[in-house]
Amino acid sequence: MPIARRVGAPRVVPTRGIPYPAGDPSLSPEDERAWRRTLLETALHAISTPVHGPTVFEPEGTAEPAA
Amino acid sequence: MHHVSDVALGGATRFQDGRLTLNVEELRRIFDDPALASVAISVVHPGESARIVKVLDAVEPRAKPRDADGIFPGFVSPADSHSGSDTHVLRGAAVVTAGYLPRAQEALADMSGPAAALCFLASTHNVVVEFVPASGADWADVAAALRVGALRLANALATAAVETAADEVEDLTAPASPPAEAAGDRSLPRIGAITNLQTQGAFKDVYVRGRSLAGSPPLAVDAGEIEDGIVVSGQYGHPALKNPTFLHQNNPIVAALRARDGVDLRFAGLVLSPEPVEQAAKETTARQAAELCRDLGWDAAIVTKEGGGNADSDVSLKMDALEAAGVTAVGLFAEMAGADGSGPPVVAPPERATAMVSTGNYDQRLQLPAVDRALGGSRFDLLDTDASAAMEVPTAVVYAALSPLGWGRLTASADG
Amino acid sequence: MRVVHYINQFFAGVGGEDSAAVRPERRDGATGPGRRLDALLGEEHSVVATVFCGDDVAASDPDAIEQILQLIASTGADMVLAGPAFGSGRYGIACARVASAAHAAGLLALAAMAPENPGVGEAAAVPVIESGDTARQMGPSLERLATAARELAAGKPAASLDGLIATTRRVNRFSDHTSAARAVDLVLARLAGDRAATEIPLPDFGHVVPAGPIDDPATALIALVSEGAVVPAGNPDRLESARAHKWLRYPLQGRDSMAAGEYQSVHGGFSTVAANADPNRILPLDAARELERAGRIGKVYDEYLVTAGNGTAVGDAARFGAEWAAELKRAGVRAAILTST
């Protein structure tokens, strides 16, 4: 995340772990699929939202400008 | 400390007048384990035209006066051993394991030539252990058997020196200089070391008293304990950025701070920390480390890592958290500026605490000559070439060449 | 000197991103900013032709540079000036490649762009003149380019041209002291109040103008891309596990999910056990297909692009990003989801 902010990536969705950016092995398979779906829905929200600089889109759906 | 001037195979395992001889048959039995079909032990010396490929771990031979009392806790001695007794060190020798393990990124060490100055193994007489895994053995078991075997072998070699007179004795309980008068002493800044350990599980883990530090908060330890080998490496990626057990035993930051303890600083201690992979955990660990150092009364900290850009994040987060907590921070970083050095050096630098030491550019290329002898394997797989052939490689493949713990004198700077 | 000015579709007045797929074309005389450049070059030199190309084509079609070179050769010009490309990655890469090809063909050549442009790393032997970060600095950027062009035409050596991007290189050397000892010196300096002391300066990654939002994702073609190094099992094209110098593409047609056993991650920077057990954790195809079936997106692009983001030189990474943008835009992709490890 700090790397994404530092290099200026305009739209970033934070995930749970480097070895599994679109997953979470601590969840059951069904819950993990649902989490992955949530991440992609957040990504869709991000690409439909205008931004002016590096912006973090939390998977709960709220957007906040990065520091 | 017992200085080793030569190591040879044959005869009994003995240490006399600086010369270590090895009873290979006896020492090979240290590696008896269902996961290993066989091991071979050979010796290679500084200055030889020789190359070790597929280098795994390196361990400095150390022993205690009585049995294995307190040495390599968690592997050779019980995990909770604490021993205040002397530690005998065979200085100038190393036990080196070499061979294929999955997920090990191929590392090489040359005993002479342009890569020699980059690797501490070029200045030690190396007892090299090569192995054949037992068929059907789980690789994790193979790695564990090698690890314990190497530690036991290192202990056995140093044990041979225990009865002989030491060449040098280092007293770690006293500062380098006598402390100044009480009032003056208070003016010396208290500076400690934070050593980040890779904790990514299979083949990428570092052990403290035999257990991974994964999931643990940062841990203050008695800096003297690292001499007895409480930190053991099981991390086989990132050749140039690796901290082998040998360098944990000889933690360069701790040594550099001790060298000036009482002179212009007070050595404040050592904190070991995991390098979590999850972002939230990285931030938590950074905050915990900062609070711990602040509560310990440190004025400043020197932070080191193990690994690449991912590990840089952990250093940077800690440095910024320390500054926010009122503790001045400095971090050691390797640079990834590309083969011609024109790229940005660090991708995840700190934002507030911006004092960074450079341990060199990872990508700069080296021309290595052909060598007479190669150990650890007959091929250098990365280039699909004969291991003893001449080759052009990035500095990144030379074992511990960019020493994140600060062992080396390699650095990078702008040529303007 | 007879000069050819190379620019992109936008500065040629053809159109913006929507026209980034136009093929190479040539026009007589100067066009757009080339007119000002022509005036700045003075009496001795003139812009006899303009060659332009869509950024996506120039940065991704392997034949485009050759076609551009042929158009340049057809003008009989002695010198090629490419850009200024400012911070635009695809345009900068195109300018660097065009200038390099011209140079290799025996012409004098210069490219101009901002210092962090990934094209700087693509220019090889061709001098790159510094421009501003955005087209707002067109005036001063053209002045610098024209000055350097006049100097080059007069025989000044490439390395001493005015306005050359000063590529500071980080070069290895052996210090007299260990890094550990220097760390102690550095921390004492910081404690003494020196807030600037450091061996590594903070990098400048340049500025990316965010793309506008997509109005209607339900009709959009969306691509999945990754630096998690997920490749077909066996890594047939030998993607490097670290310090990757290339990227690869693999088909997704007919697949609803990244099947374990058929794919693996060869990334050397993290434990790939979780990724290999379920490669969707790196490339979220199963969830993307759900979005497709539910009509939330139009379609998933039928290829994924991949590299290994482990110890990747920043210049390479920036170039990959610009090349991916060019590729995907030519394919009509409106947005890409990048999984980062």
Side-chain angles (χ1 to χ4, degrees):
Chain A
M1 273 299 307
I3 293 181
R5 255 203 328 260
R6 176 56 67 98
V7 303
R11 295 176 172 88
V12 183
V13 176
T15 66
R16 287 193 183 150
I18 283 167
Y20 34 84
D24 185 345
S26 72
L27 301 174
S28 71
E30 300 76 36
D31 287 347
E32 190 181 10
R33 279 283 289 258
W35 167 242
R36 185 148 55 246
R37 173 75 185 257
T38 301
L39 286 175
L40 287 205
E41 291 279 3
T42 312
L44 268 197
H45 170 63
I47 62 180
S48 313
T49 306
V51 301
H52 303 290
T55 306
V56 175
F57 290 85
E58 293 287 345
E60 289 69 40
T62 55
E64 62 191 65
Chain B
M1 241 161 324
H2 306 268
H3 293 294
V4 174
S5 57
D6 194 18
V7 177
L9 304 174
T13 301
R14 294 177 56 199
F15 180 73
Q16 189 160 21
D17 299 324
R19 192 160 197 269
L20 177 71
T21 54
L22 310 177
N23 180 328
V24 176
E25 277 318 305
E26 205 175 76
L27 296 174
R28 282 174 58 193
R29 282 199 285 277
I30 289 175
F31 288 87
D32 282 348
D33 187 285
L36 297 174
S38 66
V39 301
I41 296 181
S42 41
V43 180
V44 73
H45 306 282
E48 265 196 65
S49 169
R51 173 174 300 146
I52 314 175
V53 296
K54 299 181 171 57
V55 188
L56 296 173
D57 194 22
V59 186
E60 186 170 55
R62 295 195 176 202
K64 304 298 253 179
R66 206 186 54 223
D67 299 328
D69 174 32
I71 205 79
F72 302 120
F75 291 103
V76 175
S77 68
D80 57 357
S81 325
H82 288 267
S83 171
S85 61
D86 295 344
T87 305
H88 291 258
V89 178
L90 284 186
R91 182 58 38 92
V95 170
V96 180
T97 49
Y100 171 80
L101 280 183
R103 315 231 34 256
Q105 288 181 264
E106 195 160 18
L108 64 77
D110 277 5
M111 300 304 293
S112 59
L118 294 169
C119 181
F120 66 91
L121 291 178
S123 33
T124 48
H125 296 270
N126 299 317
V127 177
V128 181
V129 178
E130 297 166 280
F131 61 97
V132 176
S135 90
D138 189 286
W139 282 109
D141 292 336
V142 173
L146 274 179
R147 181 174 314 124
V148 171
L151 297 172
R152 287 205 183 118
L153 175 58
N155 181 233
L157 298 181
T159 300
V162 166
E163 295 303 318
T164 69
D167 295 307
E168 212 185 303
V169 176
E170 211 183 321
D171 184 353
L172 299 178
T173 58
S177 276
E181 293 296 319
D185 186 46
R186 268 201 293 279
S187 73
L188 289 181
R190 294 174 49 78
I191 309 180
I194 301 178
T195 298
N196 288 345
L197 306 176
Q198 198 163 111
T199 49
Q200 290 185 33
F203 309 106
K204 295 183 76 63
D205 228 337
V206 179
Y207 305 97
V208 180
R209 294 182 173 278
R211 287 180 53 225
S212 165
L213 215 54
S216 156
L219 185 67
V221 298
D222 178 344
E225 294 185 18
I226 56 173
E227 306 288 335
D228 289 345
I230 61 167
V231 181
V232 170
S233 173
Q235 194 289 113
Y236 305 114
H238 300 286
L241 297 170
K242 197 180 302 192
N243 297 327
T245 301
F246 189 107
L247 290 182
H248 283 295
Q249 293 168 287
N250 289 285
N251 188 315
I253 305 290
V254 169
L257 288 170
R258 277 200 206 281
R260 292 157 82 157
D261 189 17
V263 177
D264 49 8
L265 55 89
R266 293 313 313 270
F267 171 47
L270 173 63
V271 165
L272 301 175
S273 171
E275 286 176 340
V277 295
E278 299 195 358
Q279 183 57 30
K282 284 178 188 288
E283 294 177 9
T284 301
T285 300
R287 187 177 41 79
Q288 288 170 333
E291 288 169 4
L292 176 59
C293 297
R294 179 199 62 201
D295 294 345
L296 288 171
W298 291 16
D299 294 307
I302 298 176
V303 187
T304 63
K305 65 161 183 179
E306 183 170 25
N310 173 12
D312 284 346
S313 298
D314 292 273
V315 177
S316 296
L317 287 169
K318 282 193 176 66
M319 288 172 67
D320 286 336
L322 285 159
E323 288 279 326
V327 180
T328 298
V330 163
L332 275 69
F333 293 81
E335 305 189 31
M336 294 181 179
D340 68 354
S342 61
V346 174
V347 146
E351 294 176 26
R352 274 190 298 278
T354 54
M356 295 182 273
V357 170
S358 168
T359 64
N361 178 16
Y362 185 76
D363 297 310
Q364 191 162 320
R365 319 251 339 147
L366 298 163
Q367 301 290 344
L368 303 185
V371 295
D372 293 340
R373 189 179 157 209
L375 299 97
S378 56
R379 301 289 293 169
F380 186 60
D381 293 332
L382 199 68
L383 297 178
D384 195 17
T385 184
D386 198 79
S388 51
M391 53 181 75
E392 187 190 292
V393 294
T395 307
V397 305
V398 178
Y399 195 71
L402 275 82
S403 180
L405 276 170
W407 166 84
R409 292 183 300 111
L410 185 70
T411 186
S413 50
D415 71 343
Chain C
M1 287 264 156
R2 297 165 54 83
V3 177
V4 169
H5 187 205
Y6 174 79
I7 53 179
N8 73 358
Q9 82 286 355
F10 172 76
F11 290 106
V14 173
E17 281 302 339
D18 52 310
S19 306
V22 301
R23 305 281 332 163
E25 256 186 66
R26 172 202 138 159
R27 284 194 194 146
D28 289 338
T31 300
R35 295 196 193 98
R36 177 86 188 275
L37 180 63
D38 194 16
L40 289 167
L41 284 170
E43 297 298 319
E44 290 178 68
H45 317 297
S46 68
V47 175
V48 300
T50 304
V51 172
F52 65 91
C53 183
D55 279 337
D56 292 340
V57 168
S60 68
D61 180 349
D63 298 325
I65 303 299
E66 182 52 42
Q67 290 168 12
I68 290 166
L69 195 59
Q70 281 167 12
L71 290 173
I72 289 173
S74 73
T75 68
D78 318 291
M79 175 188 275
V80 175
L81 300 178
F86 307 106
S88 167
R90 286 162 295 152
Y91 186 14
I93 286 173
C95 286
R97 290 179 181 166
V98 166
S100 293
H103 175 86
L107 297 161
L108 292 177
L110 291 177
M113 63 194 77
E116 321 75 44
N117 192 311
V120 173
E122 289 282 285
V126 169
V128 182
I129 305 303
E130 184 166 346
S131 81
D133 284 327
T134 71
R136 276 195 295 277
Q137 288 97 43
M138 177 67 83
S141 301
L142 285 176
E143 283 167 18
R144 264 198 295 274
L145 178 56
T147 301
R150 290 202 310 270
E151 290 175 349
L152 188 66
K156 198 168 182 194
S160 5
L161 296 174
D162 281 322
L164 207 53
I165 288 182
T167 29
T168 36
R169 291 170 199 290
R170 304 292 296 175
V171 179
N172 284 344
R173 60 183 177 85
F174 285 102
S175 163
D176 291 335
H177 304 286
T178 65
S179 297
R182 299 194 324 270
V184 176
D185 287 337
L186 187 57
V187 75
L188 288 172
R190 292 286 281 203
L191 283 167
D194 184 350
R195 300 300 297 168
T198 181
E199 293 185 349
I200 307 180
L202 285 186
D204 175 6
F205 292 109
H207 173 68
V208 171
V209 176
I214 294 186
D215 291 330
D216 189 3
T219 61
L221 181 59
I222 309 282
L224 298 178
V225 301
S226 181
E227 55 81 349
V230 63
V231 293
N235 196 13
D237 300 298
R238 297 171 71 99
L239 180 65
E240 304 100 315
S241 292
R243 301 179 300 280
H245 292 300
K246 67 185 180 207
W247 54 270
L248 298 166
R249 67 178 93 206
Y250 292 105
L252 290 177
Q253 299 107 312
R255 289 182 182 276
D256 272 349
S257 173
M258 301 295 282
E262 284 185 48
Y263 292 94
Q264 65 174 127
S265 169
V266 297
H267 199 292
F270 59 84
S271 170
T272 55
V273 169
N276 293 342
D278 182 2
N280 292 289
R281 287 170 171 153
I282 304 283
L283 201 83
L285 181 61
D286 57 359
R289 291 293 188 205
E290 276 181 38
L291 290 181
E292 209 179 32
R293 284 193 292 270
R296 303 276 294 124
I297 61 175
K299 198 170 170 310
V300 176
Y301 182 51
D302 61 13
E303 280 185 339
Y304 73 92
L305 309 183
V306 65
T307 188
N310 178 26
T312 324
V314 175
D316 286 336
R319 175 168 55 85
F320 299 164
E323 290 173 343
W324 287 6
E327 279 289 329
L328 297 177
K329 283 196 62 248
R330 281 178 67 206
V333 170
R334 305 270 304 289
I337 297 176
L338 167 76
T339 47
S340 170
T341 60

